[in-house]
Structure formats: C-alpha cells, structure tokens
Amino acid sequence: MKRYAFFLIALTACTGPAQQASTTPTGERMTPAEQLHAALSARLNQDDFKQIDGGGPIGGVQSLYYVTTKSREEVLEILTPVIEPYTRDIPWTEDYGQYHIGLSLKDQPDMRFGIGISFVKPKTDTYKNQPDVLKNYETDIVYTPPYEWNEP
C-alpha cells in the first residue's frame, strides 16, 4: 500500500503545467496567461524558493521576487519546462551576470512576461537591508507576470 501511495505522489509531482487544471476556483476557463502565471507561481512557491520583498513595479507591472540556494543553472533547469508549454521558444539571454527573457505567449500573443535569474552575492547594495539574503542565498529571481503588450 505504501508503495502505491508513493507512486501516486510521484506521478502527481511529474504532471506538467499542460496537464494541470485550467479553470479558476470559480470554474471559469483560465487564459493561457493565467495558466502560465499559476504554473510559475506554484513552482516558485515551493520550499526550495523563498519570496522576498523586492520593491516596486517594473514597467508598470508588479514583479515578484524570489531567492534560492540553487545555482542559476539549476533554476533554469527548473523553470524552463514550466514555461515551455506556453511559449514558442525560450531564448535565454545572459548578460551582466543575469539570465533573462521577455516573451509573448504563443496562444495569447498580446500578453508578455519576463524572468531574470541572477547571482545574489554581487548585489550588496540591493540587499543591504536584507543581510540574510546575501548570507544564505545564491540566486535571485525576478518574475514579471503576464501583462498586455501593445507595442510592435
């Protein structure tokens, strides 16, 4: 019986975002942007990430800030499969110590989102009021949830 229960837990954990529920708690069908946001939020709110206060909005959209003890490469490996079902391709760019993307959704092209994955250690000014972040975490993530994009 224990082996069967473990199998069910493992099977559930392996279910990707495309197989997750695509309705809101009120039963309404979720848009692709809402599905992506739900999938990323569910993953970033697991125990290996910690949400922190990161400041104000970026480009008029309130971004969400997380830290983790995982490396930037591990974070890429974790988040890429969560994002893939909702985008055409994922051209991660690396510059100034940060991997980042800004993409539109393949099934809702007027909606964009962004993610930045950076080293924590060089950000002494950014985290001067949060010394526990500098001391205990390796990587930070800035996630800008889907927002309407009206520019060409």
Side-chain angles (χ1 to χ4, degrees):
M1 185 67 173
K2 286 183 184 179
R3 190 175 288 166
Y4 179 70
F6 178 74
F7 173 75
L8 287 178
I9 291 169
L11 184 62
T12 303
C14 293
T15 303
Q19 292 82 30
Q20 292 176 355
S22 60
T23 58
T24 65
T26 60
E28 298 174 55
R29 183 141 178 85
M30 291 172 69
T31 65
E34 292 168 329
Q35 290 175 31
L36 168 69
H37 181 63
L40 275 171
S41 295
R43 184 58 189 96
L44 288 169
N45 285 306
Q46 291 182 17
D47 290 341
D48 51 347
F49 292 92
K50 176 185 176 187
Q51 189 169 5
I52 61 170
D53 179 24
I58 295 176
V61 179
Q62 182 60 52
S63 294
L64 304 171
Y65 299 82
Y66 298 86
V67 290
T68 183
T69 57
K70 296 185 177 304
S71 71
R72 292 180 319 144
E73 289 72 22
E74 289 175 297
V75 174
L76 280 176
E77 289 176 18
I78 290 168
L79 296 184
T80 297
V82 176
I83 297 166
E84 280 179 331
Y86 304 99
T87 61
R88 286 187 175 76
D89 57 6
I90 303 178
W92 289 104
T93 302
E94 181 182 15
D95 55 26
Y96 303 104
Q98 180 185 65
Y99 289 118
H100 58 91
I101 56 170
L103 296 172
S104 60
L105 283 86
K106 68 179 175 186
D107 293 330
Q108 202 176 358
D110 62 325
M111 299 297 285
R112 294 184 64 94
F113 71 99
I115 296 179
I117 303 168
S118 305
F119 294 117
V120 167
K121 298 298 179 211
K123 296 184 172 184
T124 53
D125 285 344
T126 301
Y127 295 117
K128 66 183 173 193
N129 295 327
Q130 296 173 301
D132 63 307
V133 170
L134 285 169
K135 182 179 177 185
N136 299 313
Y137 296 96
E138 182 173 338
T139 303
D140 66 2
I141 299 97
V142 177
Y143 163 50
T144 304
Y147 58 94
E148 191 169 357
W149 180 258
N150 294 320
E151 298 183 29

CSV table of all heavy atoms in Angstrom, one decimal, residues 11 40 42 57-58 71 73 77 109 126 138 150:
chain,number,residue,atom,x,y,z
A,11,LEU,N,3.7,10.4,-9.4
A,11,LEU,CA,3.0,10.6,-10.6
A,11,LEU,C,2.4,12.0,-10.6
A,11,LEU,O,2.5,12.8,-11.6
A,11,LEU,CB,1.9,9.6,-10.8
A,11,LEU,CG,1.1,9.6,-12.1
A,11,LEU,CD1,2.1,9.4,-13.3
A,11,LEU,CD2,0.0,8.6,-12.1
A,40,LEU,N,3.9,29.0,-12.9
A,40,LEU,CA,5.1,29.5,-12.4
A,40,LEU,C,5.0,29.9,-10.9
A,40,LEU,O,5.9,29.6,-10.1
A,40,LEU,CB,5.5,30.8,-13.2
A,40,LEU,CG,6.3,30.6,-14.4
A,40,LEU,CD1,6.4,31.9,-15.2
A,40,LEU,CD2,7.7,30.0,-14.1
A,42,ALA,N,3.0,28.4,-8.7
A,42,ALA,CA,3.0,27.1,-8.0
A,42,ALA,C,4.5,26.6,-7.8
A,42,ALA,O,4.8,26.2,-6.7
A,42,ALA,CB,2.2,26.1,-8.7
A,57,PRO,N,7.0,48.1,-8.9
A,57,PRO,CA,6.8,47.5,-10.3
A,57,PRO,C,7.9,47.8,-11.3
A,57,PRO,O,8.7,48.7,-11.1
A,57,PRO,CB,5.5,48.2,-10.7
A,57,PRO,CG,5.2,49.3,-9.8
A,57,PRO,CD,6.1,49.2,-8.6
A,58,ILE,N,7.9,46.9,-12.3
A,58,ILE,CA,8.8,47.0,-13.4
A,58,ILE,C,8.0,47.2,-14.6
A,58,ILE,O,7.1,46.4,-14.9
A,58,ILE,CB,9.7,45.8,-13.6
A,58,ILE,CG1,10.6,45.6,-12.4
A,58,ILE,CG2,10.5,45.9,-14.9
A,58,ILE,CD1,11.5,44.3,-12.4
A,71,SER,N,21.7,27.1,-7.8
A,71,SER,CA,22.5,27.9,-8.7
A,71,SER,C,21.6,28.4,-9.8
A,71,SER,O,20.5,28.0,-10.0
A,71,SER,CB,23.6,27.0,-9.4
A,71,SER,OG,23.0,26.1,-10.3
A,73,GLU,N,22.0,28.0,-13.0
A,73,GLU,CA,21.7,26.9,-13.9
A,73,GLU,C,20.6,25.9,-13.5
A,73,GLU,O,19.8,25.5,-14.3
A,73,GLU,CB,23.0,26.2,-14.2
A,73,GLU,CG,24.1,27.0,-15.0
A,73,GLU,CD,24.7,28.1,-14.2
A,73,GLU,OE1,24.7,28.1,-12.9
A,73,GLU,OE2,25.2,29.1,-14.9
A,77,GLU,N,17.0,25.1,-15.2
A,77,GLU,CA,16.5,23.7,-15.5
A,77,GLU,C,15.1,23.5,-14.8
A,77,GLU,O,14.3,22.7,-15.4
A,77,GLU,CB,17.5,22.7,-14.9
A,77,GLU,CG,18.8,22.6,-15.7
A,77,GLU,CD,19.8,21.6,-15.0
A,77,GLU,OE1,19.4,20.8,-14.2
A,77,GLU,OE2,21.0,21.8,-15.4
A,109,PRO,N,-0.7,36.1,-27.9
A,109,PRO,CA,0.5,36.9,-28.3
A,109,PRO,C,0.5,38.4,-27.8
A,109,PRO,O,1.5,39.0,-27.8
A,109,PRO,CB,0.5,36.8,-29.8
A,109,PRO,CG,-0.8,36.3,-30.2
A,109,PRO,CD,-1.4,35.6,-29.1
A,126,THR,N,21.7,46.2,-3.4
A,126,THR,CA,20.3,45.8,-3.5
A,126,THR,C,19.8,45.2,-2.2
A,126,THR,O,18.7,45.5,-1.8
A,126,THR,CB,20.2,44.8,-4.6
A,126,THR,OG1,20.6,45.3,-5.9
A,126,THR,CG2,18.7,44.3,-4.8
A,138,GLU,N,22.0,32.0,-3.0
A,138,GLU,CA,22.9,32.1,-4.1
A,138,GLU,C,22.3,32.8,-5.3
A,138,GLU,O,23.0,33.5,-6.0
A,138,GLU,CB,23.3,30.7,-4.6
A,138,GLU,CG,24.3,30.7,-5.7
A,138,GLU,CD,24.9,29.3,-6.0
A,138,GLU,OE1,24.8,28.4,-5.2
A,138,GLU,OE2,25.3,29.1,-7.1
A,150,ASN,N,1.2,46.2,-26.0
A,150,ASN,CA,0.5,46.9,-27.2
A,150,ASN,C,1.5,47.4,-28.2
A,150,ASN,O,1.1,48.1,-29.1
A,150,ASN,CB,-0.4,48.0,-26.6
A,150,ASN,CG,-1.5,47.4,-25.8
A,150,ASN,OD1,-2.1,46.4,-26.2
A,150,ASN,ND2,-1.8,48.1,-24.7
